Amino acid sequence: MNIFDKAPVVDKDVFVAPSASVIGDVQLGRGSSIWYGVVLRGDVNSIRVGNGTNIQDNSLVHVAKSNLSGKVLPTIIGDNVTVGHSAVIHGCTVEDEAFVGMGAILLDGVVVEKNAMVAAGALVRQNTRIPSGEVWAGNPAKFLRKLTDEEIAFISQSATNYTNLAQVHAAENSKSFDEIEFEKVLRKKFARKDEEYDSMLGVVREIPPELILPDNVLPDKAEKALKKSGI
């Protein structure tokens, strides 16, 4: 939605859920995803979201015209960031590959550095800087501990997982009513498939391609198939 003379700029590879609202001076980078019920309101300032970032269901991203000292406060969210469900980000900077947990609140002037994590439910006070490699939690949020290497790797993987999942949701949302009804019939037909019973009868039932999710959404599917075949 436009506001004043500002219109969102959305890369063609972005998934914006049907119930999300992207308003005004907002830019969304390649491969990002804006999930159901999210509001990005760029009215009195700008919002910039990088590539491969996911902002999950019911989160709110807003801006401030300026703080009490006159500093301009847009919201800038970098590349491969994960923002969990129902988070609030207001006039902040979240750098590349950072993680904001579910229900966290980031107030004006907060900076979350690269590879830093805000725990679920945390309230981060104005002008707080969360250093790279740290977890902050609580109300008000304080340093909790250092991130492990595995947790830092998880932040990147989380962004990749959501990019892949967004492709599936985008495909589902683009289907016509007739396609959806046809797939409902197929699912009903195959809902009672029993592999053990079929094996006793010597019956082989092929799963229709419409019901098969891409391997990148279920990464362990290929591995399970190999084990089943004895490879």
Side-chain angles (χ1 to χ4, degrees), residues 33-39 53-60 81-87 99-102 158-159 162:
S33 53
I34 309 302
W35 291 82
Y36 305 93
V38 169
V39 176
T53 286
N54 62 93
I55 301 178
Q56 297 173 17
D57 316 68
N58 297 320
S59 292
L60 169 65
V81 172
T82 289
V83 177
H85 313 285
S86 299
F99 188 100
V100 178
M102 293 183 286
S158 174
Y162 259 90

mmCIF file with all atom_site columns, all heavy atoms in Angstrom, residues 33-39 53-60 81-87 99-102 158-159 162:
data_model
loop_
_atom_site.group_PDB
_atom_site.id
_atom_site.type_symbol
_atom_site.label_atom_id
_atom_site.label_alt_id
_atom_site.label_comp_id
_atom_site.label_asym_id
_atom_site.label_entity_id
_atom_site.label_seq_id
_atom_site.pdbx_PDB_ins_code
_atom_site.Cartn_x
_atom_site.Cartn_y
_atom_site.Cartn_z
_atom_site.occupancy
_atom_site.B_iso_or_equiv
_atom_site.pdbx_formal_charge
_atom_site.auth_seq_id
_atom_site.auth_comp_id
_atom_site.auth_asym_id
_atom_site.auth_atom_id
_atom_site.pdbx_PDB_model_num
ATOM 1   N N   . SER A 1 33  ? 11.040 -13.039 3.190  1.00 0.00 ? 33  SER A N   1
ATOM 2   C CA  . SER A 1 33  ? 9.654  -13.490 3.342  1.00 0.00 ? 33  SER A CA  1
ATOM 3   C C   . SER A 1 33  ? 8.985  -12.737 4.481  1.00 0.00 ? 33  SER A C   1
ATOM 4   O O   . SER A 1 33  ? 9.563  -12.577 5.558  1.00 0.00 ? 33  SER A O   1
ATOM 5   C CB  . SER A 1 33  ? 9.597  -15.004 3.588  1.00 0.00 ? 33  SER A CB  1
ATOM 6   O OG  . SER A 1 33  ? 10.428 -15.393 4.662  1.00 0.00 ? 33  SER A OG  1
ATOM 7   N N   . ILE A 1 34  ? 7.769  -12.284 4.198  1.00 0.00 ? 34  ILE A N   1
ATOM 8   C CA  . ILE A 1 34  ? 6.969  -11.515 5.154  1.00 0.00 ? 34  ILE A CA  1
ATOM 9   C C   . ILE A 1 34  ? 5.716  -12.352 5.409  1.00 0.00 ? 34  ILE A C   1
ATOM 10  O O   . ILE A 1 34  ? 4.879  -12.511 4.522  1.00 0.00 ? 34  ILE A O   1
ATOM 11  C CB  . ILE A 1 34  ? 6.605  -10.126 4.576  1.00 0.00 ? 34  ILE A CB  1
ATOM 12  C CG1 . ILE A 1 34  ? 7.856  -9.401  4.036  1.00 0.00 ? 34  ILE A CG1 1
ATOM 13  C CG2 . ILE A 1 34  ? 5.891  -9.297  5.626  1.00 0.00 ? 34  ILE A CG2 1
ATOM 14  C CD1 . ILE A 1 34  ? 8.955  -9.184  5.053  1.00 0.00 ? 34  ILE A CD1 1
ATOM 15  N N   . TRP A 1 35  ? 5.588  -12.864 6.614  1.00 0.00 ? 35  TRP A N   1
ATOM 16  C CA  . TRP A 1 35  ? 4.611  -13.917 6.871  1.00 0.00 ? 35  TRP A CA  1
ATOM 17  C C   . TRP A 1 35  ? 3.258  -13.366 7.314  1.00 0.00 ? 35  TRP A C   1
ATOM 18  O O   . TRP A 1 35  ? 3.044  -12.150 7.383  1.00 0.00 ? 35  TRP A O   1
ATOM 19  C CB  . TRP A 1 35  ? 5.205  -14.915 7.873  1.00 0.00 ? 35  TRP A CB  1
ATOM 20  C CG  . TRP A 1 35  ? 6.326  -15.673 7.206  1.00 0.00 ? 35  TRP A CG  1
ATOM 21  C CD1 . TRP A 1 35  ? 7.613  -15.256 7.037  1.00 0.00 ? 35  TRP A CD1 1
ATOM 22  C CD2 . TRP A 1 35  ? 6.227  -16.919 6.534  1.00 0.00 ? 35  TRP A CD2 1
ATOM 23  N NE1 . TRP A 1 35  ? 8.327  -16.177 6.307  1.00 0.00 ? 35  TRP A NE1 1
ATOM 24  C CE2 . TRP A 1 35  ? 7.509  -17.210 5.989  1.00 0.00 ? 35  TRP A CE2 1
ATOM 25  C CE3 . TRP A 1 35  ? 5.193  -17.844 6.345  1.00 0.00 ? 35  TRP A CE3 1
ATOM 26  C CZ2 . TRP A 1 35  ? 7.769  -18.379 5.277  1.00 0.00 ? 35  TRP A CZ2 1
ATOM 27  C CZ3 . TRP A 1 35  ? 5.455  -19.009 5.642  1.00 0.00 ? 35  TRP A CZ3 1
ATOM 28  C CH2 . TRP A 1 35  ? 6.729  -19.268 5.113  1.00 0.00 ? 35  TRP A CH2 1
ATOM 29  N N   . TYR A 1 36  ? 2.339  -14.274 7.595  1.00 0.00 ? 36  TYR A N   1
ATOM 30  C CA  . TYR A 1 36  ? 0.927  -13.945 7.824  1.00 0.00 ? 36  TYR A CA  1
ATOM 31  C C   . TYR A 1 36  ? 0.751  -13.018 9.027  1.00 0.00 ? 36  TYR A C   1
ATOM 32  O O   . TYR A 1 36  ? 1.287  -13.253 10.096 1.00 0.00 ? 36  TYR A O   1
ATOM 33  C CB  . TYR A 1 36  ? 0.127  -15.239 8.015  1.00 0.00 ? 36  TYR A CB  1
ATOM 34  C CG  . TYR A 1 36  ? 0.313  -16.197 6.863  1.00 0.00 ? 36  TYR A CG  1
ATOM 35  C CD1 . TYR A 1 36  ? 1.287  -17.183 6.911  1.00 0.00 ? 36  TYR A CD1 1
ATOM 36  C CD2 . TYR A 1 36  ? -0.449 -16.083 5.701  1.00 0.00 ? 36  TYR A CD2 1
ATOM 37  C CE1 . TYR A 1 36  ? 1.490  -18.043 5.842  1.00 0.00 ? 36  TYR A CE1 1
ATOM 38  C CE2 . TYR A 1 36  ? -0.250 -16.933 4.624  1.00 0.00 ? 36  TYR A CE2 1
ATOM 39  C CZ  . TYR A 1 36  ? 0.722  -17.911 4.695  1.00 0.00 ? 36  TYR A CZ  1
ATOM 40  O OH  . TYR A 1 36  ? 0.939  -18.758 3.622  1.00 0.00 ? 36  TYR A OH  1
ATOM 41  N N   . GLY A 1 37  ? 0.000  -11.957 8.793  1.00 0.00 ? 37  GLY A N   1
ATOM 42  C CA  . GLY A 1 37  ? -0.313 -11.022 9.857  1.00 0.00 ? 37  GLY A CA  1
ATOM 43  C C   . GLY A 1 37  ? 0.767  -10.005 10.185 1.00 0.00 ? 37  GLY A C   1
ATOM 44  O O   . GLY A 1 37  ? 0.596  -9.192  11.088 1.00 0.00 ? 37  GLY A O   1
ATOM 45  N N   . VAL A 1 38  ? 1.866  -10.024 9.451  1.00 0.00 ? 38  VAL A N   1
ATOM 46  C CA  . VAL A 1 38  ? 2.952  -9.060  9.706  1.00 0.00 ? 38  VAL A CA  1
ATOM 47  C C   . VAL A 1 38  ? 2.552  -7.675  9.209  1.00 0.00 ? 38  VAL A C   1
ATOM 48  O O   . VAL A 1 38  ? 1.878  -7.536  8.179  1.00 0.00 ? 38  VAL A O   1
ATOM 49  C CB  . VAL A 1 38  ? 4.255  -9.522  9.011  1.00 0.00 ? 38  VAL A CB  1
ATOM 50  C CG1 . VAL A 1 38  ? 5.313  -8.421  9.031  1.00 0.00 ? 38  VAL A CG1 1
ATOM 51  C CG2 . VAL A 1 38  ? 4.786  -10.778 9.681  1.00 0.00 ? 38  VAL A CG2 1
ATOM 52  N N   . VAL A 1 39  ? 2.989  -6.636  9.927  1.00 0.00 ? 39  VAL A N   1
ATOM 53  C CA  . VAL A 1 39  ? 2.808  -5.251  9.488  1.00 0.00 ? 39  VAL A CA  1
ATOM 54  C C   . VAL A 1 39  ? 4.171  -4.575  9.405  1.00 0.00 ? 39  VAL A C   1
ATOM 55  O O   . VAL A 1 39  ? 4.912  -4.559  10.391 1.00 0.00 ? 39  VAL A O   1
ATOM 56  C CB  . VAL A 1 39  ? 1.891  -4.458  10.441 1.00 0.00 ? 39  VAL A CB  1
ATOM 57  C CG1 . VAL A 1 39  ? 1.813  -2.989  10.008 1.00 0.00 ? 39  VAL A CG1 1
ATOM 58  C CG2 . VAL A 1 39  ? 0.499  -5.078  10.492 1.00 0.00 ? 39  VAL A CG2 1
ATOM 59  N N   . THR A 1 53  ? 15.926 -12.583 4.394  1.00 0.00 ? 53  THR A N   1
ATOM 60  C CA  . THR A 1 53  ? 15.459 -12.349 5.768  1.00 0.00 ? 53  THR A CA  1
ATOM 61  C C   . THR A 1 53  ? 14.009 -12.792 5.906  1.00 0.00 ? 53  THR A C   1
ATOM 62  O O   . THR A 1 53  ? 13.207 -12.627 4.980  1.00 0.00 ? 53  THR A O   1
ATOM 63  C CB  . THR A 1 53  ? 15.619 -10.867 6.133  1.00 0.00 ? 53  THR A CB  1
ATOM 64  O OG1 . THR A 1 53  ? 17.004 -10.595 6.345  1.00 0.00 ? 53  THR A OG1 1
ATOM 65  C CG2 . THR A 1 53  ? 14.844 -10.489 7.385  1.00 0.00 ? 53  THR A CG2 1
ATOM 66  N N   . ASN A 1 54  ? 13.659 -13.359 7.058  1.00 0.00 ? 54  ASN A N   1
ATOM 67  C CA  . ASN A 1 54  ? 12.262 -13.742 7.307  1.00 0.00 ? 54  ASN A CA  1
ATOM 68  C C   . ASN A 1 54  ? 11.716 -12.988 8.511  1.00 0.00 ? 54  ASN A C   1
ATOM 69  O O   . ASN A 1 54  ? 12.367 -12.908 9.553  1.00 0.00 ? 54  ASN A O   1
ATOM 70  C CB  . ASN A 1 54  ? 12.121 -15.257 7.483  1.00 0.00 ? 54  ASN A CB  1
ATOM 71  C CG  . ASN A 1 54  ? 12.896 -15.799 8.663  1.00 0.00 ? 54  ASN A CG  1
ATOM 72  O OD1 . ASN A 1 54  ? 12.366 -15.923 9.767  1.00 0.00 ? 54  ASN A OD1 1
ATOM 73  N ND2 . ASN A 1 54  ? 14.169 -16.133 8.450  1.00 0.00 ? 54  ASN A ND2 1
ATOM 74  N N   . ILE A 1 55  ? 10.548 -12.415 8.326  1.00 0.00 ? 55  ILE A N   1
ATOM 75  C CA  . ILE A 1 55  ? 9.838  -11.729 9.414  1.00 0.00 ? 55  ILE A CA  1
ATOM 76  C C   . ILE A 1 55  ? 8.549  -12.516 9.624  1.00 0.00 ? 55  ILE A C   1
ATOM 77  O O   . ILE A 1 55  ? 7.654  -12.523 8.764  1.00 0.00 ? 55  ILE A O   1
ATOM 78  C CB  . ILE A 1 55  ? 9.583  -10.257 9.070  1.00 0.00 ? 55  ILE A CB  1
ATOM 79  C CG1 . ILE A 1 55  ? 10.920 -9.545  8.806  1.00 0.00 ? 55  ILE A CG1 1
ATOM 80  C CG2 . ILE A 1 55  ? 8.820  -9.576  10.206 1.00 0.00 ? 55  ILE A CG2 1
ATOM 81  C CD1 . ILE A 1 55  ? 10.797 -8.098  8.416  1.00 0.00 ? 55  ILE A CD1 1
ATOM 82  N N   . GLN A 1 56  ? 8.475  -13.186 10.762 1.00 0.00 ? 56  GLN A N   1
ATOM 83  C CA  . GLN A 1 56  ? 7.459  -14.217 10.946 1.00 0.00 ? 56  GLN A CA  1
ATOM 84  C C   . GLN A 1 56  ? 6.135  -13.666 11.467 1.00 0.00 ? 56  GLN A C   1
ATOM 85  O O   . GLN A 1 56  ? 6.033  -12.512 11.878 1.00 0.00 ? 56  GLN A O   1
ATOM 86  C CB  . GLN A 1 56  ? 8.008  -15.307 11.873 1.00 0.00 ? 56  GLN A CB  1
ATOM 87  C CG  . GLN A 1 56  ? 9.222  -16.018 11.297 1.00 0.00 ? 56  GLN A CG  1
ATOM 88  C CD  . GLN A 1 56  ? 9.870  -16.968 12.280 1.00 0.00 ? 56  GLN A CD  1
ATOM 89  O OE1 . GLN A 1 56  ? 9.273  -17.351 13.294 1.00 0.00 ? 56  GLN A OE1 1
ATOM 90  N NE2 . GLN A 1 56  ? 11.105 -17.357 12.002 1.00 0.00 ? 56  GLN A NE2 1
ATOM 91  N N   . ASP A 1 57  ? 5.151  -14.538 11.475 1.00 0.00 ? 57  ASP A N   1
ATOM 92  C CA  . ASP A 1 57  ? 3.749  -14.214 11.679 1.00 0.00 ? 57  ASP A CA  1
ATOM 93  C C   . ASP A 1 57  ? 3.496  -13.252 12.843 1.00 0.00 ? 57  ASP A C   1
ATOM 94  O O   . ASP A 1 57  ? 4.027  -13.423 13.943 1.00 0.00 ? 57  ASP A O   1
ATOM 95  C CB  . ASP A 1 57  ? 2.964  -15.493 11.927 1.00 0.00 ? 57  ASP A CB  1
ATOM 96  C CG  . ASP A 1 57  ? 3.365  -16.602 10.962 1.00 0.00 ? 57  ASP A CG  1
ATOM 97  O OD1 . ASP A 1 57  ? 4.510  -17.093 11.067 1.00 0.00 ? 57  ASP A OD1 1
ATOM 98  O OD2 . ASP A 1 57  ? 2.542  -16.958 10.110 1.00 0.00 ? 57  ASP A OD2 1
ATOM 99  N N   . ASN A 1 58  ? 2.664  -12.241 12.553 1.00 0.00 ? 58  ASN A N   1
ATOM 100 C CA  . ASN A 1 58  ? 2.168  -11.275 13.543 1.00 0.00 ? 58  ASN A CA  1
ATOM 101 C C   . ASN A 1 58  ? 3.224  -10.328 14.108 1.00 0.00 ? 58  ASN A C   1
ATOM 102 O O   . ASN A 1 58  ? 2.976  -9.660  15.109 1.00 0.00 ? 58  ASN A O   1
ATOM 103 C CB  . ASN A 1 58  ? 1.448  -11.989 14.702 1.00 0.00 ? 58  ASN A CB  1
ATOM 104 C CG  . ASN A 1 58  ? 0.217  -12.720 14.233 1.00 0.00 ? 58  ASN A CG  1
ATOM 105 O OD1 . ASN A 1 58  ? -0.525 -12.223 13.385 1.00 0.00 ? 58  ASN A OD1 1
ATOM 106 N ND2 . ASN A 1 58  ? 0.004  -13.917 14.737 1.00 0.00 ? 58  ASN A ND2 1
ATOM 107 N N   . SER A 1 59  ? 4.374  -10.261 13.466 1.00 0.00 ? 59  SER A N   1
ATOM 108 C CA  . SER A 1 59  ? 5.380  -9.289  13.917 1.00 0.00 ? 59  SER A CA  1
ATOM 109 C C   . SER A 1 59  ? 5.037  -7.892  13.411 1.00 0.00 ? 59  SER A C   1
ATOM 110 O O   . SER A 1 59  ? 4.320  -7.730  12.414 1.00 0.00 ? 59  SER A O   1
ATOM 111 C CB  . SER A 1 59  ? 6.776  -9.690  13.417 1.00 0.00 ? 59  SER A CB  1
ATOM 112 O OG  . SER A 1 59  ? 7.210  -10.868 14.053 1.00 0.00 ? 59  SER A OG  1
ATOM 113 N N   . LEU A 1 60  ? 5.582  -6.880  14.104 1.00 0.00 ? 60  LEU A N   1
ATOM 114 C CA  . LEU A 1 60  ? 5.363  -5.488  13.738 1.00 0.00 ? 60  LEU A CA  1
ATOM 115 C C   . LEU A 1 60  ? 6.712  -4.796  13.570 1.00 0.00 ? 60  LEU A C   1
ATOM 116 O O   . LEU A 1 60  ? 7.558  -4.870  14.457 1.00 0.00 ? 60  LEU A O   1
ATOM 117 C CB  . LEU A 1 60  ? 4.561  -4.775  14.831 1.00 0.00 ? 60  LEU A CB  1
ATOM 118 C CG  . LEU A 1 60  ? 4.477  -3.238  14.726 1.00 0.00 ? 60  LEU A CG  1
ATOM 119 C CD1 . LEU A 1 60  ? 3.720  -2.822  13.480 1.00 0.00 ? 60  LEU A CD1 1
ATOM 120 C CD2 . LEU A 1 60  ? 3.830  -2.649  15.969 1.00 0.00 ? 60  LEU A CD2 1
ATOM 121 N N   . VAL A 1 81  ? 18.449 -12.463 8.244  1.00 0.00 ? 81  VAL A N   1
ATOM 122 C CA  . VAL A 1 81  ? 17.994 -12.245 9.626  1.00 0.00 ? 81  VAL A CA  1
ATOM 123 C C   . VAL A 1 81  ? 16.718 -13.060 9.851  1.00 0.00 ? 81  VAL A C   1
ATOM 124 O O   . VAL A 1 81  ? 15.872 -13.167 8.955  1.00 0.00 ? 81  VAL A O   1
ATOM 125 C CB  . VAL A 1 81  ? 17.720 -10.757 9.880  1.00 0.00 ? 81  VAL A CB  1
ATOM 126 C CG1 . VAL A 1 81  ? 17.070 -10.540 11.251 1.00 0.00 ? 81  VAL A CG1 1
ATOM 127 C CG2 . VAL A 1 81  ? 19.007 -9.949  9.763  1.00 0.00 ? 81  VAL A CG2 1
ATOM 128 N N   . THR A 1 82  ? 16.574 -13.605 11.044 1.00 0.00 ? 82  THR A N   1
ATOM 129 C CA  . THR A 1 82  ? 15.316 -14.232 11.443 1.00 0.00 ? 82  THR A CA  1
ATOM 130 C C   . THR A 1 82  ? 14.661 -13.394 12.529 1.00 0.00 ? 82  THR A C   1
ATOM 131 O O   . THR A 1 82  ? 15.285 -13.087 13.550 1.00 0.00 ? 82  THR A O   1
ATOM 132 C CB  . THR A 1 82  ? 15.551 -15.660 11.964 1.00 0.00 ? 82  THR A CB  1
ATOM 133 O OG1 . THR A 1 82  ? 15.911 -16.508 10.868 1.00 0.00 ? 82  THR A OG1 1
ATOM 134 C CG2 . THR A 1 82  ? 14.292 -16.226 12.616 1.00 0.00 ? 82  THR A CG2 1
ATOM 135 N N   . VAL A 1 83  ? 13.413 -13.008 12.279 1.00 0.00 ? 83  VAL A N   1
ATOM 136 C CA  . VAL A 1 83  ? 12.602 -12.288 13.267 1.00 0.00 ? 83  VAL A CA  1
ATOM 137 C C   . VAL A 1 83  ? 11.443 -13.210 13.629 1.00 0.00 ? 83  VAL A C   1
ATOM 138 O O   . VAL A 1 83  ? 10.596 -13.517 12.787 1.00 0.00 ? 83  VAL A O   1
ATOM 139 C CB  . VAL A 1 83  ? 12.089 -10.949 12.708 1.00 0.00 ? 83  VAL A CB  1
ATOM 140 C CG1 . VAL A 1 83  ? 11.180 -10.257 13.732 1.00 0.00 ? 83  VAL A CG1 1
ATOM 141 C CG2 . VAL A 1 83  ? 13.251 -10.038 12.329 1.00 0.00 ? 83  VAL A CG2 1
ATOM 142 N N   . GLY A 1 84  ? 11.417 -13.684 14.868 1.00 0.00 ? 84  GLY A N   1
ATOM 143 C CA  . GLY A 1 84  ? 10.424 -14.665 15.293 1.00 0.00 ? 84  GLY A CA  1
ATOM 144 C C   . GLY A 1 84  ? 9.018  -14.092 15.400 1.00 0.00 ? 84  GLY A C   1
ATOM 145 O O   . GLY A 1 84  ? 8.796  -12.884 15.340 1.00 0.00 ? 84  GLY A O   1
ATOM 146 N N   . HIS A 1 85  ? 8.064  -14.982 15.573 1.00 0.00 ? 85  HIS A N   1
ATOM 147 C CA  . HIS A 1 85  ? 6.643  -14.630 15.633 1.00 0.00 ? 85  HIS A CA  1
ATOM 148 C C   . HIS A 1 85  ? 6.373  -13.550 16.698 1.00 0.00 ? 85  HIS A C   1
ATOM 149 O O   . HIS A 1 85  ? 6.902  -13.593 17.798 1.00 0.00 ? 85  HIS A O   1
ATOM 150 C CB  . HIS A 1 85  ? 5.802  -15.859 15.964 1.00 0.00 ? 85  HIS A CB  1
ATOM 151 C CG  . HIS A 1 85  ? 6.144  -17.072 15.153 1.00 0.00 ? 85  HIS A CG  1
ATOM 152 N ND1 . HIS A 1 85  ? 5.781  -17.215 13.835 1.00 0.00 ? 85  HIS A ND1 1
ATOM 153 C CD2 . HIS A 1 85  ? 6.838  -18.183 15.473 1.00 0.00 ? 85  HIS A CD2 1
ATOM 154 C CE1 . HIS A 1 85  ? 6.232  -18.376 13.385 1.00 0.00 ? 85  HIS A CE1 1
ATOM 155 N NE2 . HIS A 1 85  ? 6.879  -18.984 14.351 1.00 0.00 ? 85  HIS A NE2 1
ATOM 156 N N   . SER A 1 86  ? 5.547  -12.597 16.311 1.00 0.00 ? 86  SER A N   1
ATOM 157 C CA  . SER A 1 86  ? 5.027  -11.567 17.225 1.00 0.00 ? 86  SER A CA  1
ATOM 158 C C   . SER A 1 86  ? 6.100  -10.675 17.836 1.00 0.00 ? 86  SER A C   1
ATOM 159 O O   . SER A 1 86  ? 5.902  -10.111 18.916 1.00 0.00 ? 86  SER A O   1
ATOM 160 C CB  . SER A 1 86  ? 4.203  -12.218 18.353 1.00 0.00 ? 86  SER A CB  1
ATOM 161 O OG  . SER A 1 86  ? 3.096  -12.914 17.812 1.00 0.00 ? 86  SER A OG  1
ATOM 162 N N   . ALA A 1 87  ? 7.220  -10.528 17.167 1.00 0.00 ? 87  ALA A N   1
ATOM 163 C CA  . ALA A 1 87  ? 8.235  -9.577  17.630 1.00 0.00 ? 87  ALA A CA  1
ATOM 164 C C   . ALA A 1 87  ? 7.829  -8.159  17.249 1.00 0.00 ? 87  ALA A C   1
ATOM 165 O O   . ALA A 1 87  ? 7.065  -7.944  16.308 1.00 0.00 ? 87  ALA A O   1
ATOM 166 C CB  . ALA A 1 87  ? 9.595  -9.915  17.026 1.00 0.00 ? 87  ALA A CB  1
ATOM 167 N N   . PHE A 1 99  ? 19.471 -12.688 15.084 1.00 0.00 ? 99  PHE A N   1
ATOM 168 C CA  . PHE A 1 99  ? 18.269 -13.471 15.405 1.00 0.00 ? 99  PHE A CA  1
ATOM 169 C C   . PHE A 1 99  ? 17.476 -12.748 16.485 1.00 0.00 ? 99  PHE A C   1
ATOM 170 O O   . PHE A 1 99  ? 18.015 -12.435 17.548 1.00 0.00 ? 99  PHE A O   1
ATOM 171 C CB  . PHE A 1 99  ? 18.680 -14.869 15.896 1.00 0.00 ? 99  PHE A CB  1
ATOM 172 C CG  . PHE A 1 99  ? 17.543 -15.833 16.068 1.00 0.00 ? 99  PHE A CG  1
ATOM 173 C CD1 . PHE A 1 99  ? 17.266 -16.779 15.101 1.00 0.00 ? 99  PHE A CD1 1
ATOM 174 C CD2 . PHE A 1 99  ? 16.764 -15.808 17.224 1.00 0.00 ? 99  PHE A CD2 1
ATOM 175 C CE1 . PHE A 1 99  ? 16.220 -17.685 15.262 1.00 0.00 ? 99  PHE A CE1 1
ATOM 176 C CE2 . PHE A 1 99  ? 15.717 -16.704 17.395 1.00 0.00 ? 99  PHE A CE2 1
ATOM 177 C CZ  . PHE A 1 99  ? 15.445 -17.647 16.420 1.00 0.00 ? 99  PHE A CZ  1
ATOM 178 N N   . VAL A 1 100 ? 16.199 -12.500 16.189 1.00 0.00 ? 100 VAL A N   1
ATOM 179 C CA  . VAL A 1 100 ? 15.293 -11.864 17.162 1.00 0.00 ? 100 VAL A CA  1
ATOM 180 C C   . VAL A 1 100 ? 14.225 -12.888 17.508 1.00 0.00 ? 100 VAL A C   1
ATOM 181 O O   . VAL A 1 100 ? 13.461 -13.320 16.652 1.00 0.00 ? 100 VAL A O   1
ATOM 182 C CB  . VAL A 1 100 ? 14.662 -10.589 16.585 1.00 0.00 ? 100 VAL A CB  1
ATOM 183 C CG1 . VAL A 1 100 ? 13.695 -9.975  17.590 1.00 0.00 ? 100 VAL A CG1 1
ATOM 184 C CG2 . VAL A 1 100 ? 15.744 -9.580  16.193 1.00 0.00 ? 100 VAL A CG2 1
ATOM 185 N N   . GLY A 1 101 ? 14.164 -13.289 18.776 1.00 0.00 ? 101 GLY A N   1
ATOM 186 C CA  . GLY A 1 101 ? 13.268 -14.361 19.191 1.00 0.00 ? 101 GLY A CA  1
ATOM 187 C C   . GLY A 1 101 ? 11.802 -13.946 19.238 1.00 0.00 ? 101 GLY A C   1
ATOM 188 O O   . GLY A 1 101 ? 11.444 -12.767 19.170 1.00 0.00 ? 101 GLY A O   1
ATOM 189 N N   . MET A 1 102 ? 10.949 -14.948 19.388 1.00 0.00 ? 102 MET A N   1
ATOM 190 C CA  . MET A 1 102 ? 9.500  -14.738 19.412 1.00 0.00 ? 102 MET A CA  1
ATOM 191 C C   . MET A 1 102 ? 9.093  -13.791 20.537 1.00 0.00 ? 102 MET A C   1
ATOM 192 O O   . MET A 1 102 ? 9.552  -13.927 21.673 1.00 0.00 ? 102 MET A O   1
ATOM 193 C CB  . MET A 1 102 ? 8.778  -16.071 19.586 1.00 0.00 ? 102 MET A CB  1
ATOM 194 C CG  . MET A 1 102 ? 8.928  -17.011 18.409 1.00 0.00 ? 102 MET A CG  1
ATOM 195 S SD  . MET A 1 102 ? 7.996  -18.548 18.603 1.00 0.00 ? 102 MET A SD  1
ATOM 196 C CE  . MET A 1 102 ? 9.005  -19.408 19.805 1.00 0.00 ? 102 MET A CE  1
ATOM 197 N N   . SER A 1 158 ? 18.532 -21.170 9.868  1.00 0.00 ? 158 SER A N   1
ATOM 198 C CA  . SER A 1 158 ? 17.141 -20.763 10.064 1.00 0.00 ? 158 SER A CA  1
ATOM 199 C C   . SER A 1 158 ? 16.666 -19.883 8.911  1.00 0.00 ? 158 SER A C   1
ATOM 200 O O   . SER A 1 158 ? 15.552 -20.056 8.392  1.00 0.00 ? 158 SER A O   1
ATOM 201 C CB  . SER A 1 158 ? 16.996 -20.008 11.387 1.00 0.00 ? 158 SER A CB  1
ATOM 202 O OG  . SER A 1 158 ? 15.698 -19.482 11.534 1.00 0.00 ? 158 SER A OG  1
ATOM 203 N N   . ALA A 1 159 ? 17.519 -18.949 8.498  1.00 0.00 ? 159 ALA A N   1
ATOM 204 C CA  . ALA A 1 159 ? 17.155 -18.073 7.381  1.00 0.00 ? 159 ALA A CA  1
ATOM 205 C C   . ALA A 1 159 ? 16.986 -18.874 6.098  1.00 0.00 ? 159 ALA A C   1
ATOM 206 O O   . ALA A 1 159 ? 16.034 -18.659 5.331  1.00 0.00 ? 159 ALA A O   1
ATOM 207 C CB  . ALA A 1 159 ? 18.223 -16.993 7.202  1.00 0.00 ? 159 ALA A CB  1
ATOM 208 N N   . TYR A 1 162 ? 13.692 -20.853 6.116  1.00 0.00 ? 162 TYR A N   1
ATOM 209 C CA  . TYR A 1 162 ? 12.510 -20.032 5.857  1.00 0.00 ? 162 TYR A CA  1
ATOM 210 C C   . TYR A 1 162 ? 12.434 -19.563 4.405  1.00 0.00 ? 162 TYR A C   1
ATOM 211 O O   . TYR A 1 162 ? 11.341 -19.415 3.848  1.00 0.00 ? 162 TYR A O   1
ATOM 212 C CB  . TYR A 1 162 ? 12.458 -18.841 6.829  1.00 0.00 ? 162 TYR A CB  1
ATOM 213 C CG  . TYR A 1 162 ? 11.489 -19.097 7.946  1.00 0.00 ? 162 TYR A CG  1
ATOM 214 C CD1 . TYR A 1 162 ? 11.901 -19.713 9.120  1.00 0.00 ? 162 TYR A CD1 1
ATOM 215 C CD2 . TYR A 1 162 ? 10.145 -18.763 7.835  1.00 0.00 ? 162 TYR A CD2 1
ATOM 216 C CE1 . TYR A 1 162 ? 11.010 -19.985 10.148 1.00 0.00 ? 162 TYR A CE1 1
ATOM 217 C CE2 . TYR A 1 162 ? 9.242  -19.024 8.845  1.00 0.00 ? 162 TYR A CE2 1
ATOM 218 C CZ  . TYR A 1 162 ? 9.672  -19.634 10.001 1.00 0.00 ? 162 TYR A CZ  1
ATOM 219 O OH  . TYR A 1 162 ? 8.769  -19.911 11.010 1.00 0.00 ? 162 TYR A OH  1
#
